[in-house]
Amino acid sequence: MNILVTGGAGYIGTHTLVELLNRGHGAVVIDNFTNSRPESLRRVREITGKSFALYAVDVCDEEALSRAFSENAIDCVIHFAGLKAVGESCERPLAYYRNNLDGMMSLLSAMGRHGVKKLVFSSSATVYRSDVPMPVDEDSPLGSINPYGWTKFMCEQMLRDVVAARPDWSVVLLRYFNPIGAHESGRIGEDPSGIPNNLMPFITQTALGRRPALRIFGNDYPTRDGTGVRDYIHVVDLALGHVAAIEYAEKNAGCEAFNLGTGQGYSVLDLVGAFERVNGVAVPCEIAPRRAGDPATVYSRVEKAEKMLGWRATRTLEEMCRDAWRWQVKNPNGFAE
Ligand code: NAD
Ligand code: UFG
């Protein structure tokens, strides 16, 4: 298939592009580089030896999107483009609603104009209410506690409504748990700007000496060791989940949601311990107060994706730690020169 990948220059987008191209699919990328650099796409070309067209435009710009559709025969879209920092979304809610909702609406409108009916959407585990029992399955009640999560919730609703009106459309909602790690080549990986919000980039930057210590947000949660538990998934497994999803969308109409996780919960201390053990480096830590809005435990039920997509995550926590560290060591400044 020929796939339009919005946000293709970002962390999950680049890893997915590699797996799509390796699988023999064609790609056209849209990215405005608001949270990425063209160098990441150059490296995707280097890893795969394949080329693809790039439109350096905003997904909210429907005319620019329309050009990408009319100049390429697109079969399916994967929509990664969006702003994703939970804390920033609380400070700048309108920027998040504007970017993530306008982007979704412009894309759906351009798809409609060009007769493209298959879409895979980057949703998130944050669309589940935080008080649901764990592991969480796809039928659990939805809700959010921050503007970022609400944008994902609203995009999902928009997509369910579009499919209700147009039953010949095929939409796959992928609810990611916590992607970490990097491609095993060490050429692409997560490249957060400024001080990382997420745990793994903070761990790798601390191990490298760029940060004095990892602050562990709370050790008094009702978990095994008191620290927060999450379902960490290797970004390459997540990327392969997208390949399975577009192949599912090719054959099935309707709107379906799938969790993409491993089904395993690990605590902050589990992750730090595995990282130190596998890589033989120290990660200085200090205990800090809980971070506002963090639930104690989040992990997924994965049976639906296994059954319907024929996909499951296979990479271990150790592989996630090893690959994240390889990327960080080889690229101490990420994709910057
Ligand atoms: P990322 O920031 O690395 O990638 C997003 C890409 O979209 C970036 O290259 C950015 O420049 C681009 N972009 C943003 N707004 C755009 C716009 N208006 N027009 C064109 N391009 C635009 O993030 P990621 O981690 O790769 O996440 C990809 C998607 O997955 C996002 O929608 C995110 O919300 C979702 N998601 C991520 C996580 C995670 O932990 N990384 C978890 C759940 C869901
Ligand atoms: N944590 C720390 N110190 C840090 C950073 C994080 O102790 O410096 C802890 C958090 O308290 C939490 C765990 O590490 O217990 C994971 O935190 P992350 O910030 O890495 O991830 P979250 O689970 O908070 O959220 C992530 C993404 C969201 C996405 C969600 C899906 O940031 O965008 O996963 O589950 F929606």
Side-chain angles (χ1 to χ4, degrees), residues 177-190:
F177 283 70
N178 290 56
I180 60 170
H183 190 260
E184 65 170 11
S185 64
R187 298 295 289 156
I188 54 173
E190 189 169 9

Side-chain angles (χ1 to χ4, degrees), residues 55-296:
Y55 291 78
V57 298
D58 191 319
V59 279
C60 302
D61 178 349
E62 195 184 324
E63 286 317 308
L65 279 182
S66 199
R67 263 198 317 281
F69 281 102
S70 52
E71 290 171 7
N72 302 275
I74 302 296
D75 302 304
C76 176
V77 178
I78 305 182
H79 184 39
F80 292 110
L83 299 176
K84 65 163 185 177
V86 173
E88 187 188 50
S89 80
C90 299
E91 286 153 25
R92 304 174 57 223
L94 284 183
Y96 273 67
Y97 286 112
R98 173 78 71 196
N99 192 70
N100 294 1
L101 299 184
D102 266 6
M104 183 84 262
M105 285 190 281
S106 303
L107 179 62
L108 288 172
S109 169
M111 286 173 66
R113 277 164 63 189
H114 294 272
V116 178
K117 301 172 183 172
K118 297 175 181 32
L119 173 70
V120 173
F121 174 61
S122 293
S123 188
S124 167
T126 48
V127 298
Y128 293 117
R129 279 175 50 162
S130 54
D131 55 353
V132 297
M134 294 295 149
V136 67
D137 73 22
E138 289 82 353
D139 295 324
S140 297
L142 304 181
S144 190
I145 52 167
N146 56 65
Y148 165 72
W150 283 118
T151 69
K152 294 296 179 189
F153 174 97
M154 289 174 192
C155 284
E156 283 203 3
Q157 187 58 44
M158 213 185 283
L159 290 166
R160 280 188 286 271
D161 291 340
V162 166
V163 173
R166 301 284 306 274
D168 57 331
W169 278 51
S170 176
V171 171
V172 181
L173 311 172
L174 296 180
R175 295 176 182 156
Y176 312 154
F177 283 70
N178 290 56
I180 60 170
H183 190 260
E184 65 170 11
S185 64
R187 298 295 289 156
I188 54 173
E190 189 169 9
D191 183 20
S193 49
I195 300 172
N197 292 304
N198 295 116
L199 181 57
M200 182 55 99
F202 212 104
I203 290 177
T204 58
Q205 293 192 8
T206 305
L208 202 64
R210 263 171 73 182
R211 315 266 161 220
L214 169 72
R215 297 174 71 230
I216 297 179
F217 297 140
N219 66 348
D220 57 351
Y221 283 106
T223 60
R224 267 193 316 279
D225 58 25
T227 64
V229 168
R230 295 290 183 276
D231 185 341
Y232 297 99
I233 175 169
H234 196 296
V235 68
V236 172
D237 276 330
L238 192 77
L240 290 166
H242 291 74
V243 177
I246 58 153
E247 291 171 3
Y248 173 89
E250 194 179 10
K251 298 189 205 98
N252 301 278
C255 182
E256 283 295 341
F258 297 97
N259 286 343
L260 294 187
T262 65
Q264 294 277 328
Y266 289 102
S267 72
V268 176
L269 289 175
D270 289 337
L271 188 63
V272 172
F275 187 91
E276 292 186 320
R277 211 171 43 249
V278 170
N279 297 313
V281 284
V283 181
C285 293
E286 59 190 45
I287 302 299
R290 290 182 180 193
R291 186 170 65 179
D294 273 356

